[in-house]
């Protein structure tokens, strides 16, 4: 019986058991070891393997079977272990890191912060990205606690919907997903729900939100997952600062970093009357989603989600450093045109070199 079959069987039959581990042993005859106490993060990993139909069944069951699902997940992990089923080492390490506070003697030694950063910097496997982004941001927890909110928000039309509808066709127009009617509708749903969610808390919609939501949909494909992840990342200090508060502080901070790490560029930019906001606004408002190849953007977002939003500042420095020779020979108009990066072929980017260089800059 496959994993999906196990889950479906649980909700059809297993919920009648007082002890879900007994049900598990009945459908999988081999005995399991004593259960360990694992966090809900691991349960969410198992659920991430399911299709949308299975998730719908779980959502409808709500809190009634919540503890049973947790227990089932514990058994599933033991089942994996007993059959020597290998989770991807990277994902396994990250998951065990998340269980640090609940680790037991039988668990592997949790990985260090440094190793976690190295693992994520190496790139999260595509199939696991959508789950881990939700895990790192806490979006899974919000979604689980508010199962009816997203459908409710979708039913309401926001006052900014005309602005959203205008920007949706402009969002990654060359990507097949957004060139389709369903893809555009999914994007509009996420943005409209977010506008309704944020009605009294801050900016409901701003140009740039469409690109943020677009990347989330490309990584996660599930509109509700994209919505909750957007809710979480948009309330971080970085995005609150750049979208809602006095965003000049962000660019002043970037100027300080350029002065410290790239003194030649700093001096030349000042002589040409260039300040960071003139060239980096589109970079930072969309977290590079409109100026860099998608594969590199996803790598940057992996780090952004898992570790720190400072990676955006570090990548800005890395890009300036990579173009130093050309920039030092250019005038203001030429510099601004050059830093639009429209002229740079996608296949010319060395993703590993950019990530490595970005990490070489110390950003407090």
């Amino acid at each position: 019986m496959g994993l999906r079959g196990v889950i479906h069987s649980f909700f059809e039959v297993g919920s009648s058991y007082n002890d879900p581990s007994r049900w598990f042993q009945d459908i999988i005859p081999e005995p399991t070891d004593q259960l360990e106490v694992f966090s809900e993060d691991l349960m969410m990993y198992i659920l991430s393997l399911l299709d949308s139909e299975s998730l719908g069944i779980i959502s409808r069951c709500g809190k009634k079977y919540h503890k049973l699902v947790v227990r089932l997940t514990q058994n599933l992990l033991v089942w994996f272990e007993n059959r020597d089923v290998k989770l991807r080492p990277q994902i396994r390490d990250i998951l065990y890191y998340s269980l640090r506070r609940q680790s037991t003697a039988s668990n592997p030694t949790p990985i260090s912060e440094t190793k976690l950063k190295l693992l994520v910097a190496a790139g999260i496997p595509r199939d696991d990205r959508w789950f881990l982004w939700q895990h790192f941001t806490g979006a899974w927890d919000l979604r689980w606690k508010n199962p009816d909110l997203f459908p409710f928000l979708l039913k309401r039309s926001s006052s900014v919907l005309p602005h959203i509808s205008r920007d949706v066709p402009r969002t990654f127009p060359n990507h097949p997903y957004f060139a389709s009617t369903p893809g555009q509708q999914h994007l509009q749903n996420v943005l409209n729900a977010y506008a309704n969610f944020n009605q009294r808390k801050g900016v409901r919609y701003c140009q740039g939100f469409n690109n943020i939501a677009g990347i989330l949909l490309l990584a996660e494909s599930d509109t509700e997952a994209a919505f909750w992840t957007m809710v979480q990342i948009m309330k971080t200090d970085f995005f609150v600062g750049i979208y809602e508060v006095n965003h000049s502080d962000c660019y002043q901070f970037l100027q300080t970093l350029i002065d410290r790490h790239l003194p030649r560029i700093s001096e030349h930019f000042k002589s040409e009357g260039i300040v960071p906001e003139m060239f980096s606004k589109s970079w930072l408002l969309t977290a590079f989603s409109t100026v860099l190849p998608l594969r590199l953007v996803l790598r940057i977002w992996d780090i952004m989600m898992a570790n720190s939003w400072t990676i955006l500042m570090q990548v800005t420095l890395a890009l300036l450093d990579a173009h130093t020779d050309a920039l030092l020979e250019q005038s203001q108009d030429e510099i601004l045109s050059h830093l639009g990066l429209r002229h740079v072929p996608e296949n010319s980017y060395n993703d590993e070199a950019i990530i490595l260089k970005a990490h070489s800059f110390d950003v407090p």
Side-chain angles (χ1 to χ4, degrees), residues 130-296:
W130 76 278
F131 161 71
L132 286 171
W133 282 10
Q134 291 175 87
H135 163 74
F136 288 135
T137 61
W140 258 123
D141 187 51
L142 273 183
R143 181 177 180 177
W144 188 259
K145 291 178 180 178
N146 303 277
D148 301 320
L149 183 57
F150 180 68
F152 170 75
L153 294 172
L154 281 183
K155 296 176 182 178
R156 302 173 59 196
S157 179
S158 68
S159 60
V160 297
L161 187 56
H163 301 286
I164 292 172
S165 300
R166 178 196 62 200
D167 288 341
V168 163
R170 305 175 183 176
T171 308
F172 308 117
N174 297 323
H175 195 284
Y177 182 78
F178 292 112
S180 69
T181 300
Q184 292 187 11
Q185 187 60 57
H186 292 163
L187 178 59
Q188 181 164 303
N189 288 346
V190 172
L191 293 171
N192 186 60
Y194 181 78
N196 287 325
F197 176 84
N198 220 35
Q199 187 169 2
R200 299 180 181 178
K201 302 176 183 178
V203 179
R204 300 181 67 191
Y205 180 73
C206 179
Q207 202 167 37
F209 283 17
N210 54 315
N211 298 107
I212 299 293
I215 291 295
L216 293 174
L217 282 170
L218 290 178
E220 304 184 16
S221 71
D222 177 357
T223 53
E224 187 169 1
F227 164 75
W228 283 116
T229 307
M230 185 169 181
V231 166
Q232 289 296 80
I233 66 175
M234 295 306 289
K235 68 183 183 184
T236 59
D237 290 343
F238 176 83
F239 281 109
V240 169
I242 203 167
Y243 274 111
E244 297 185 14
V245 190
N246 184 2
H247 61 266
S248 62
D249 291 347
C250 174
Y251 298 109
Q252 289 173 5
F253 178 58
L254 179 56
Q255 181 65 65
T256 301
L257 295 175
I258 294 172
D259 293 343
R260 180 192 307 171
H261 295 290
L262 303 171
R264 289 197 301 157
I265 285 184
S266 173
E267 183 179 350
H268 182 60
F269 278 11
K270 288 175 181 177
S271 70
E272 293 295 330
I274 291 179
V275 295
E277 188 171 359
M278 297 170 68
F279 65 85
S280 66
K281 191 171 184 177
S282 64
W283 295 8
L284 299 178
L285 284 175
T286 66
F288 296 102
S289 62
T290 60
V291 294
L292 293 178
L294 178 60
R295 66 176 193 281
L296 178 54

